[in-house]
PDB file of all heavy atoms in Angstrom:
ATOM      1  N   LYS A 896     -52.812 -82.310 -69.038  1.00 93.00           N
ATOM      2  CA  LYS A 896     -53.796 -81.430 -68.566  1.00 93.00           C
ATOM      3  C   LYS A 896     -53.753 -81.293 -66.968  1.00 93.00           C
ATOM      4  O   LYS A 896     -53.915 -80.184 -66.499  1.00 93.00           O
ATOM      5  CB  LYS A 896     -55.236 -81.769 -68.942  1.00 93.00           C
ATOM      6  CG  LYS A 896     -55.521 -81.196 -70.298  1.00 93.00           C
ATOM      7  CD  LYS A 896     -56.915 -80.694 -70.343  1.00 93.00           C
ATOM      8  CE  LYS A 896     -57.945 -81.950 -70.431  1.00 93.00           C
ATOM      9  NZ  LYS A 896     -57.990 -82.531 -71.674  1.00 93.00           N
ATOM     10  N   ASP A 928     -49.538 -81.820 -81.958  1.00 98.00           N
ATOM     11  CA  ASP A 928     -50.929 -82.337 -82.241  1.00 98.00           C
ATOM     12  C   ASP A 928     -51.612 -82.025 -80.891  1.00 98.00           C
ATOM     13  O   ASP A 928     -51.170 -81.310 -80.035  1.00 98.00           O
ATOM     14  CB  ASP A 928     -50.933 -83.828 -82.637  1.00 98.00           C
ATOM     15  CG  ASP A 928     -52.217 -84.222 -83.206  1.00 98.00           C
ATOM     16  OD1 ASP A 928     -52.520 -83.924 -84.385  1.00 98.00           O
ATOM     17  OD2 ASP A 928     -53.025 -84.838 -82.532  1.00 98.00           O
ATOM     18  N   SER A1024     -63.325 -80.895 -73.952  1.00 97.00           N
ATOM     19  CA  SER A1024     -63.869 -82.213 -73.729  1.00 97.00           C
ATOM     20  C   SER A1024     -64.986 -82.197 -72.707  1.00 97.00           C
ATOM     21  O   SER A1024     -65.572 -83.208 -72.389  1.00 97.00           O
ATOM     22  CB  SER A1024     -62.789 -83.110 -73.351  1.00 97.00           C
ATOM     23  OG  SER A1024     -61.970 -82.548 -72.336  1.00 97.00           O
ATOM     24  N   ARG A1052     -60.797 -74.054 -68.493  1.00 98.00           N
ATOM     25  CA  ARG A1052     -61.922 -74.762 -69.257  1.00 98.00           C
ATOM     26  C   ARG A1052     -62.816 -73.728 -69.989  1.00 98.00           C
ATOM     27  O   ARG A1052     -63.046 -72.606 -69.488  1.00 98.00           O
ATOM     28  CB  ARG A1052     -62.734 -75.578 -68.195  1.00 98.00           C
ATOM     29  CG  ARG A1052     -61.929 -76.407 -67.274  1.00 98.00           C
ATOM     30  CD  ARG A1052     -61.000 -77.272 -67.972  1.00 98.00           C
ATOM     31  NE  ARG A1052     -61.652 -78.366 -68.780  1.00 98.00           N
ATOM     32  CZ  ARG A1052     -61.134 -78.926 -69.920  1.00 98.00           C
ATOM     33  NH1 ARG A1052     -59.929 -78.719 -70.284  1.00 98.00           N
ATOM     34  NH2 ARG A1052     -61.881 -79.885 -70.551  1.00 98.00           N
ATOM     35  N   ASN A1115     -58.521 -84.352 -87.477  1.00 98.00           N
ATOM     36  CA  ASN A1115     -58.271 -85.487 -88.266  1.00 98.00           C
ATOM     37  C   ASN A1115     -59.362 -86.582 -88.128  1.00 98.00           C
ATOM     38  O   ASN A1115     -59.686 -86.935 -87.015  1.00 98.00           O
ATOM     39  CB  ASN A1115     -56.936 -86.218 -87.799  1.00 98.00           C
ATOM     40  CG  ASN A1115     -55.738 -85.475 -88.395  1.00 98.00           C
ATOM     41  OD1 ASN A1115     -55.587 -85.129 -89.593  1.00 98.00           O
ATOM     42  ND2 ASN A1115     -54.764 -84.967 -87.488  1.00 98.00           N
TER      43      ASN A1115
HETATM   44  P1  LIG B2448     -55.197 -78.982 -78.934  1.00 83.38           P
HETATM   45  O1  LIG B2448     -54.590 -79.920 -77.896  1.00 83.38           O
HETATM   46  O2  LIG B2448     -54.635 -77.493 -79.084  1.00 83.38           O
HETATM   47  O3  LIG B2448     -56.710 -78.758 -78.862  1.00 83.38           O
HETATM   48  C1  LIG B2448     -57.603 -79.835 -78.813  1.00 83.38           C
HETATM   49  C2  LIG B2448     -58.955 -79.451 -78.559  1.00 83.38           C
HETATM   50  O4  LIG B2448     -59.893 -80.433 -78.814  1.00 83.38           O
HETATM   51  C3  LIG B2448     -59.306 -79.045 -77.048  1.00 83.38           C
HETATM   52  O5  LIG B2448     -60.193 -78.098 -76.937  1.00 83.38           O
HETATM   53  C4  LIG B2448     -59.663 -80.350 -76.504  1.00 83.38           C
HETATM   54  O6  LIG B2448     -60.394 -80.196 -75.273  1.00 83.38           O
HETATM   55  C5  LIG B2448     -60.504 -80.823 -77.621  1.00 83.38           C
HETATM   56  N1  LIG B2448     -60.514 -82.299 -77.449  1.00 83.38           N
HETATM   57  C6  LIG B2448     -59.479 -83.103 -77.581  1.00 83.38           C
HETATM   58  N2  LIG B2448     -59.918 -84.421 -77.415  1.00 83.38           N
HETATM   59  C7  LIG B2448     -61.181 -84.373 -77.210  1.00 83.38           C
HETATM   60  C8  LIG B2448     -62.057 -85.377 -77.026  1.00 83.38           C
HETATM   61  N3  LIG B2448     -61.864 -86.735 -76.991  1.00 83.38           N
HETATM   62  N4  LIG B2448     -63.473 -84.982 -76.932  1.00 83.38           N
HETATM   63  C9  LIG B2448     -63.802 -83.596 -76.955  1.00 83.38           C
HETATM   64  N5  LIG B2448     -62.940 -82.658 -77.140  1.00 83.38           N
HETATM   65  C10 LIG B2448     -61.654 -82.995 -77.314  1.00 83.38           C
HETATM   66  O7  LIG B2448     -55.010 -79.769 -80.373  1.00 83.38           O
HETATM   67  P2  LIG B2448     -55.091 -79.190 -81.828  1.00 83.38           P
HETATM   68  O8  LIG B2448     -56.024 -77.961 -81.897  1.00 83.38           O
HETATM   69  O9  LIG B2448     -53.708 -79.143 -82.271  1.00 83.38           O
HETATM   70  O10 LIG B2448     -55.828 -80.464 -82.568  1.00 83.38           O
HETATM   71  C11 LIG B2448     -57.175 -80.508 -82.821  1.00 83.38           C
HETATM   72  C12 LIG B2448     -57.380 -81.510 -83.954  1.00 83.38           C
HETATM   73  O11 LIG B2448     -56.828 -81.020 -85.191  1.00 83.38           O
HETATM   74  C13 LIG B2448     -56.875 -82.892 -83.729  1.00 83.38           C
HETATM   75  O12 LIG B2448     -57.793 -83.809 -84.411  1.00 83.38           O
HETATM   76  C14 LIG B2448     -55.555 -82.871 -84.467  1.00 83.38           C
HETATM   77  O13 LIG B2448     -55.060 -84.162 -84.886  1.00 83.38           O
HETATM   78  C15 LIG B2448     -55.887 -82.042 -85.700  1.00 83.38           C
HETATM   79  N6  LIG B2448     -54.765 -81.334 -86.358  1.00 83.38           N
HETATM   80  C16 LIG B2448     -53.887 -80.622 -85.635  1.00 83.38           C
HETATM   81  C17 LIG B2448     -52.887 -79.902 -86.447  1.00 83.38           C
HETATM   82  C18 LIG B2448     -51.867 -79.008 -85.715  1.00 83.38           C
HETATM   83  O14 LIG B2448     -51.095 -78.483 -86.436  1.00 83.38           O
HETATM   84  N7  LIG B2448     -51.995 -78.791 -84.433  1.00 83.38           N
HETATM   85  C19 LIG B2448     -52.654 -80.138 -87.870  1.00 83.38           C
HETATM   86  C20 LIG B2448     -53.725 -80.944 -88.510  1.00 83.38           C
HETATM   87  C21 LIG B2448     -54.682 -81.553 -87.653  1.00 83.38           C
HETATM   88  P3  LIG B2448     -59.643 -80.529 -73.863  1.00 83.38           P
HETATM   89  O15 LIG B2448     -58.710 -79.442 -73.661  1.00 83.38           O
HETATM   90  O16 LIG B2448     -60.772 -80.573 -72.881  1.00 83.38           O
HETATM   91  O17 LIG B2448     -59.082 -81.874 -74.100  1.00 83.38           O
END
Side-chain angles (χ1 to χ4, degrees):
K896 272 216 291 283
D928 193 80
S1024 51
R1052 310 305 294 157
N1115 284 307

